[in-house]
Amino acid sequence: TPCEHSFPTRRSSDLARDNAVSACKCFRPLWQSSRADPRATVSKIVRNFGEQVNGEALLPRWVSTLPVFVDGEEMAPVYSLLLELIARGHSSVSPSTDAATHVTKVLVSALENADLPASLQRPMAQALKTYVSSIPPGGPTFAIPPHVEAKVVADRKSVV
């Protein structure tokens, strides 16, 4: 349930925001469970309290911090939110913006990572295929490494 607390929404100091979020009893379980990776914390907060968070300001910056290179446990909330944003066509990951190259690199990096949870491998491969095909003509191009392309092709074969 939503809490009654208000948090700094403008460009206040990160320390003030961190203190406000960690002091709130509503956010504390999310905050304490993912102290190792702030991206995972933000992912969990956005997914659980999205209506109360100014995602339009937060999400482009969050996307710019990706990919996650270590800690497979934290990959699930981070990449689940990324997949959700791609599926919704959120402006922070739109293939028709400057973010297209970065998002493509993030998807490729995730698929190259041996720590990527098995439950995310197929959705990430599908997202990469769909995302790259939705980049408008004349948009940025990115060469997908052959070993990642093989995962996308293998995913296509398993769907048929």
Side-chain angles (χ1 to χ4, degrees), residues 23-159:
C24 176
K25 291 178 186 168
C26 300
F27 286 116
R28 192 171 292 146
L30 298 172
W31 189 256
Q32 290 173 341
S33 69
S34 59
R35 279 199 187 267
D37 194 328
R39 294 169 293 203
T41 300
V42 171
S43 302
K44 292 172 186 178
I45 290 171
V46 168
R47 292 190 88 207
N48 290 304
F49 300 96
E51 311 81 44
Q52 298 174 316
V53 177
N54 183 358
E56 295 307 314
L58 177 67
L59 290 172
R61 187 170 179 184
W62 175 83
V63 169
S64 73
T65 68
L66 301 177
V68 176
F69 291 108
V70 293
D71 200 352
E73 192 175 299
E74 298 299 348
M75 288 181 184
V78 171
Y79 289 138
S80 294
L81 178 58
L82 179 63
L83 291 172
E84 183 180 317
L85 294 173
I86 291 170
R88 287 190 316 188
H90 192 272
S91 62
S92 63
V93 295
S94 173
S96 60
T97 66
D98 292 339
T101 300
H102 179 70
V103 172
T104 302
K105 288 179 181 180
V106 168
L107 292 168
V108 167
S109 175
L111 287 165
E112 289 178 317
N113 194 320
D115 293 330
L116 182 69
S119 63
L120 286 174
Q121 290 178 2
R122 185 173 184 184
M124 293 294 278
Q126 290 172 337
L128 177 61
K129 180 183 118 196
T130 303
Y131 191 82
V132 169
S133 68
S134 65
I135 295 174
T141 59
F142 184 77
I144 298 173
H147 61 283
V148 174
E149 181 67 32
K151 290 181 181 182
V152 173
V153 170
D155 177 65
R156 261 186 245 150
K157 289 179 182 175
S158 68
V159 172

Side-chain angles (χ1 to χ4, degrees), residues 2-26:
C3 71
E4 302 293 323
H5 300 95
S6 62
F7 299 102
T9 54
R10 293 224 165 94
R11 185 83 178 125
S12 61
S13 76
D14 290 338
L15 180 61
R17 189 172 309 121
D18 290 351
N19 288 339
V21 171
S22 62
C24 176
K25 291 178 186 168
C26 300

